[in-house]
Amino acid sequence: MKYVLFDVDGTLIDAVSNQRRVWGTWAARYGLDADEVYQVALRTRPMETFAQVAADRDPDECLALLHELEDEDVRSGVYAAFDGASELLHSLKPGAWALVTSNYEHRVRGRFLRTGLPVPDVIVDAAAVEKGKPSPVPYLQAAARLGAEPGDCLVIEDAPSGVRSGLRAGMTVWGVNAAVAVEGVHRHFVTLREAVPHILACLPGPQRAAAL
């Protein structure tokens, strides 16, 4: 492998409590059950969530409120990077890695600033592609922007949709931060920390800024 492409939420940043809080506040604004809304949101993209839980509401209005709440959470919420994330990212050469996220770049940058993680040159976010995960498009775009062949890319993911996206892009996919392996991953690690030395070991020396 010559390049590493990372998912963000659930892979590098632990945002579960933040996401639950944001969706809980969103649900309360519409008088909906917070737990039910969150369970749907875990499985679907926002517009699909709105169609299921608030079909009588204007989806654009629903999305605008969600964006407002998420932006406020980036400014005031408490975030934590998963153990090993900082060490791993600081050990990679610029141009050897990218972020591929279903979120938006300004939120990713805000969260990375809050957690002290370095930001790469390439970030493929929700605004960069018409088709998000599990389509292969996000990961293929990241590879293209790095000047990489898909077969030279290692994808690090935690979620089924992201794993499918990486596999469909023709890349090697490793799963992290899950007790049980996501179907299709080439290797599985219960935590990101466990994966760090293996990720660095599979990269050629010029792509590593420092040894562990």
Side-chain angles (χ1 to χ4, degrees), residues 103-164:
N103 212 317
Y104 289 87
E105 182 171 344
H106 71 279
R107 293 189 193 124
V108 171
R109 288 184 177 276
R111 292 174 179 181
F112 273 45
L113 180 64
R114 299 286 298 280
T115 54
L117 296 179
V119 178
D121 296 330
V122 174
I123 301 176
V124 176
D125 71 345
V129 294
E130 290 187 8
K131 294 183 178 180
K133 304 172 187 179
S135 163
V137 171
Y139 279 110
L140 289 174
Q141 184 179 129
R145 289 173 61 182
L146 288 171
E149 294 296 326
D152 289 332
C153 295
L154 172 63
V155 170
I156 308 299
E157 269 280 358
D158 74 299
S161 62
V163 168
R164 289 196 297 271

Side-chain angles (χ1 to χ4, degrees), residues 41-85:
L42 283 176
R43 304 189 304 271
T44 60
R45 283 173 277 189
M47 284 302 204
E48 297 164 344
T49 301
F50 307 147
Q52 289 192 40
V53 304
D56 59 332
R57 300 285 185 170
D58 179 351
D60 290 331
E61 175 192 299
C62 292
L63 186 62
L65 174 59
L66 182 65
H67 284 332
E68 177 186 325
L69 295 172
E70 288 186 326
D71 285 344
E72 176 56 34
D73 186 69
V74 170
R75 290 189 293 269
S76 61
V78 177
Y79 284 91
F82 282 106
D83 182 30

Side-chain angles (χ1 to χ4, degrees), residues 17-35:
S17 61
N18 303 76
Q19 292 169 343
R20 182 180 288 275
R21 182 168 54 253
V22 164
W23 278 108
T25 303
W26 183 91
R29 297 280 184 93
Y30 290 111
L32 301 172
D33 182 273
D35 288 336

Side-chain angles (χ1 to χ4, degrees), residues 139-190:
Y139 279 110
L140 289 174
Q141 184 179 129
R145 289 173 61 182
L146 288 171
E149 294 296 326
D152 289 332
C153 295
L154 172 63
V155 170
I156 308 299
E157 269 280 358
D158 74 299
S161 62
V163 168
R164 289 196 297 271
S165 177
L167 292 173
R168 290 173 180 174
M171 300 175 181
T172 299
V173 182
W174 290 1
V176 298
N177 297 333
V180 179
V182 175
E183 182 178 357
V185 295
H186 295 97
R187 293 190 70 175
H188 167 67
F189 301 89
V190 175

